[in-house]
Each structure stands twice: as structure tokens, then as C-alpha cells.
Amino acid sequence: AVLHLEKMITTSGGKIFATNGKRADFRTTLKKCKEAGGSIATPRNAGENDAILYFVKSFNTYAYLGIEESLIPSKFQLLDGTQLNYTNWHLNEPSGKGEEECVEMYTDGTWNDRRCNQNRLVVCQF
């Protein structure tokens, strides 16, 4: 079950996901989530992916996820270096081959690798 409060807070799997509705680049998103006492939203299953997708659809914009390219091009991992057990890549993604180190969520819930300097919706998890 997913709880929605004014399109700003949603829950899934014991995690709370929140957005302030603002957009920022990847590094700023990391900083803002840390300042709020959380971390950047990182879906570990379909339910959590859907919780983040709720914001992406509500604000009709993409959001960065807490996933980054490892030292091996086109191989992605969680920010703490652990491997991904859940992925939802868009068809033919990731495609950046070392040029796109960050991951964004499209408005259909699928993922794309992207350069980290774009402004995307800030979504944090707690």
C-alpha cells in the first residue's frame, strides 16, 4: 500500500520517499537529501520504483536515482558500491559507455543513464 500526502510524501517497503518539488543536479540532490537527514531515492524493488514514479509523474519531470556507474563502463552500482539487485532500464539502456555516470527515472518508470549536470526532480528517501 502506498500513502500519498499532497504529492510530497509517499511510502513503500518501510521507506519514506519525499520531494520538495524542486530540481537540482546530481551532486546538489545528494547534498539536499543529506541535509534533510535522508539520502537520494534508490529503488530496490518494483514497489519502491513505483513510489518514486509517483513523484516523477506528478511533477511531469525526470528524477535522479541513487545509482552510479562503476569503474567498469556501462556497469552500474548503488552509491555505496554494492551491486544492483533490481533494475528497470529503458530499452537499449544504459548506453553512455562511461560518458553518462548518473541514472535518471523517466516518466514511465524506466531508467536511463545520463550526465550528472542536468537538473532533475529532487527525491529523497528516509
Side-chain angles (χ1 to χ4, degrees), residues 20-94:
N20 58 7
K22 295 187 167 71
R23 294 159 55 106
D25 64 27
F26 184 74
R27 298 288 162 227
T28 303
T29 299
L30 291 179
K31 190 171 143 232
K32 293 285 181 203
C33 289
K34 189 173 183 183
E35 285 171 0
S39 58
I40 186 171
T42 307
R44 293 183 180 254
N45 56 53
E48 292 180 4
N49 202 75
D50 286 346
I52 299 162
L53 177 60
Y54 175 75
F55 296 131
V56 169
K57 281 186 171 176
S58 295
F59 289 89
N60 194 30
T61 188
Y62 302 165
Y64 281 123
L65 301 175
I67 299 166
E68 65 184 356
E69 195 163 28
S70 70
L71 296 174
I72 303 157
S74 298
K75 180 127 173 74
F76 285 78
Q77 63 189 19
L78 299 176
L79 298 184
D80 65 6
T82 57
Q83 71 178 38
L84 299 174
N85 291 324
Y86 168 80
T87 62
N88 194 32
W89 293 109
H90 192 76
L91 185 66
N92 300 322
E93 297 295 343

